[in-house]
Amino acid sequence: MSEYITKKELLKSMEISYGQLYRWKRMGLIPDSWFIKRRSVTGQETVLPKEKSIKRINDIQKLMEKYSLDEIVDKFSFDAKKEVISFEKMYKTKHMAGEYVNAVGNYFKKSGYTAIEYMMIICCAKVAVEQRFSTRQYVDLLRYALPMAEKCDKKEVNFFVFAAGGDYHLSLSDNNIIPILDSGLRVVGKFNLETIWDKIKSEI
């Protein structure tokens, strides 16, 4: 399956109208960031991530059998600042080892974490495993990541961890923007928060 599908192809394959697609977009059922403009032989065309768009439209159509559009919007809504997971609940997650949960608790001493904070905690734990960090190095990474989470108000972003010599740096960018790096930096972690959220939302 190709990565993107044109708007015209999507409308035809899913048997929906232009009006339906853009109504769902206005209501937030299909993220605005999925609509990507790119050059074509005719000038410009709109493409969307194929797999995500098809799945989302199938989900919407299935839910419409039981719910109103407003009720479906509530089901897909995402509040970046909402405290969605308690610290105690982290011990049950399959996405990070208990030693990292302990490190979070011992250093930050918070009773709960927002969705964005929780996703960054998980992403940094994955980097810590791959880079063989000590728990102290993991905490140091989170000391920079968690303040960034406070400034992020959506999940449609990429979270990067860069290594520069013995130092590590973090970045958040829109889904559609891939940074160009100089030779002194290397990517040691790249995570799409929207994808992470799809994996963890059922346990929250």
Side-chain angles (χ1 to χ4, degrees), residues 21-124:
L21 180 66
Y22 277 84
R23 183 185 182 191
W24 294 341
K25 178 187 177 185
R26 288 194 300 273
M27 297 181 76
L29 290 172
I30 299 179
D32 184 70
S33 62
W34 290 9
F35 292 75
I36 304 166
K37 299 288 186 181
R38 73 177 184 186
R39 294 179 182 176
S40 69
V41 293
T42 58
Q44 194 178 65
E45 66 181 357
T46 299
V47 298
L48 296 91
K50 187 174 183 178
E51 188 174 353
K52 288 181 180 179
S53 299
I54 290 174
K55 182 181 184 303
R56 178 59 58 88
I57 290 171
N58 280 329
D59 289 344
I60 292 170
Q61 290 175 328
K62 185 176 180 179
L63 288 168
M64 285 175 66
E65 296 174 4
K66 295 183 178 180
Y67 304 99
S68 69
L69 279 178
D70 286 337
E71 289 172 324
I72 297 172
V73 168
D74 288 338
K75 291 183 178 295
F76 283 110
S77 64
F78 175 81
D79 185 348
K81 303 303 181 184
K82 185 178 179 181
E83 193 170 277
V84 294
I85 184 166
S86 65
F87 172 70
E88 288 76 13
K89 199 170 185 179
M90 282 190 190
Y91 281 105
K92 298 179 181 180
T93 184
K94 61 183 178 181
H95 301 289
M96 57 189 291
E99 65 181 296
Y100 294 121
V101 178
N102 286 333
V104 171
N106 291 335
Y107 185 85
F108 296 102
K109 303 184 186 302
K110 293 177 61 175
S111 60
Y113 293 84
T114 66
I116 298 294
E117 287 176 329
Y118 182 45
M119 285 188 275
M120 287 193 173
I121 287 169
I122 290 172
C123 293
C124 288

Side-chain angles (χ1 to χ4, degrees), residues 161-178:
V161 181
F162 306 107
D167 296 325
Y168 292 86
H169 302 274
L170 311 176
S171 173
L172 285 171
S173 69
D174 185 272
N175 273 358
N176 305 321
I177 299 175
I178 304 298

Side-chain angles (χ1 to χ4, degrees), residues 10 19 21 31 34 67 89 93 97-98 101 108 110 113 133-134 139 143 150-152 154 162 169 181 189 191 195:
L10 182 65
L21 180 66
W34 290 9
Y67 304 99
K89 199 170 185 179
T93 184
V101 178
F108 296 102
K110 293 177 61 175
Y113 293 84
F133 281 179
S134 66
V139 166
R143 287 177 55 240
E150 295 177 2
K151 300 176 183 178
C152 182
K154 61 181 181 179
F162 306 107
H169 302 274
L181 309 177
F191 307 93
T195 301

